Amino acid sequence: MTDNNTSLEHEGPDAEISGSPAGVSHVSGVDSFTIRVYGILTDSNNRVLLSDEFIRGDYFTKFPGGGMEFGEGTRDCLKREFMEETGLDVAIGDHIYTTDYFQISAFNKKNQIVSIYYYAHAQEPINVIAKTIPFDFSPEQVSDPNGQSEVLRWVAWDDLSEDTVSLPIDKIVVGMLKR
């Protein structure tokens, strides 16, 4: 992406690649897109790792991952995001899903989201600090209504459902995984 309409954003929860082809928008108000990459990591206890997040006063549960930066491929992005969010070195496995429909960003109504999902495999023992209760934040983590914070949480595979996650594309992926 090298056209003049492509930019690196710093307004969302992560720096993200966004762009629009020569200023074309097919939906009123949408002027760019954002690429996000997420990973599905399970442990030996048949649990999946989720991220509970507090972003500008709202609560979300999603898979670990985030925005792709310039110069990254999708797999590099996911490795970086896992290291940033969990401290884990992961190998990126098979591709699961790429958004194949129009989706507006939950964080910026001028952005279309393209999300890409892979399996992630820990390359080391999984020693992350994780909660078992949804949105188990300390008071300091959520005291600023304009702030951001996240906690990791393990969810038993049998308890994982579309209702466990907040974002519409994550719900599709959970449905695919549980088939």
Side-chain angles (χ1 to χ4, degrees), residues 2-40:
T2 59
D3 66 272
N4 292 336
N5 294 323
T6 302
S7 63
L8 185 63
E9 291 191 349
H10 296 282
E11 297 174 349
D14 302 302
E16 304 164 344
I17 293 176
S18 66
S20 61
V24 174
S25 177
H26 298 286
V27 176
S28 179
V30 175
D31 60 9
S32 61
F33 62 89
T34 300
I35 300 171
R36 300 185 66 80
V37 188
Y38 297 100
I40 312 308

Side-chain angles (χ1 to χ4, degrees), residues 36-57:
R36 300 185 66 80
V37 188
Y38 297 100
I40 312 308
L41 176 75
T42 57
D43 70 0
S44 60
N45 295 318
N46 206 26
R47 302 178 300 177
V48 64
L49 189 64
L50 297 176
S51 179
D52 287 330
E53 301 190 8
F54 173 78
I55 302 172
R56 294 185 289 261

Side-chain angles (χ1 to χ4, degrees), residues 112-132:
Q112 175 180 348
I113 291 292
V114 177
S115 293
I116 304 165
Y117 295 79
Y118 293 97
Y119 289 103
H121 307 285
Q123 296 294 98
E124 57 192 342
I126 301 174
N127 293 317
V128 298
I129 297 172
K131 309 288 185 160
T132 55

Side-chain angles (χ1 to χ4, degrees), residues 50-98:
L50 297 176
S51 179
D52 287 330
E53 301 190 8
F54 173 78
I55 302 172
R56 294 185 289 261
D58 287 323
Y59 293 87
F60 300 90
T61 298
K62 66 177 197 58
F63 293 108
M68 190 163 62
E69 296 178 355
F70 283 110
E72 284 183 318
T74 56
R75 292 170 183 269
D76 294 332
C77 170
L78 188 55
K79 283 184 70 67
R80 176 185 53 76
E81 286 287 343
F82 256 89
M83 184 58 71
E84 289 175 4
E85 293 182 14
T86 70
L88 287 173
D89 180 24
V90 295
I92 308 306
D94 290 339
H95 174 260
I96 300 168
Y97 179 72
T98 298

Side-chain angles (χ1 to χ4, degrees), residues 109-173:
K109 300 305 180 197
K110 291 186 171 196
N111 283 351
Q112 175 180 348
I113 291 292
V114 177
S115 293
I116 304 165
Y117 295 79
Y118 293 97
Y119 289 103
H121 307 285
Q123 296 294 98
E124 57 192 342
I126 301 174
N127 293 317
V128 298
I129 297 172
K131 309 288 185 160
T132 55
I133 299 169
F135 307 113
D136 192 8
F137 292 101
S138 69
E140 299 81 35
Q141 289 179 292
V142 294
S143 62
D144 179 0
N146 295 313
Q148 294 179 196
S149 193
E150 68 183 305
V151 293
L152 299 171
R153 177 167 50 104
W154 288 110
V155 173
W157 182 259
D158 290 342
D159 295 336
L160 181 67
S161 74
E162 293 173 17
D163 292 334
T164 309
V165 292
S166 304
L167 303 176
I169 306 169
D170 286 3
K171 291 178 182 295
I172 289 171
V173 171

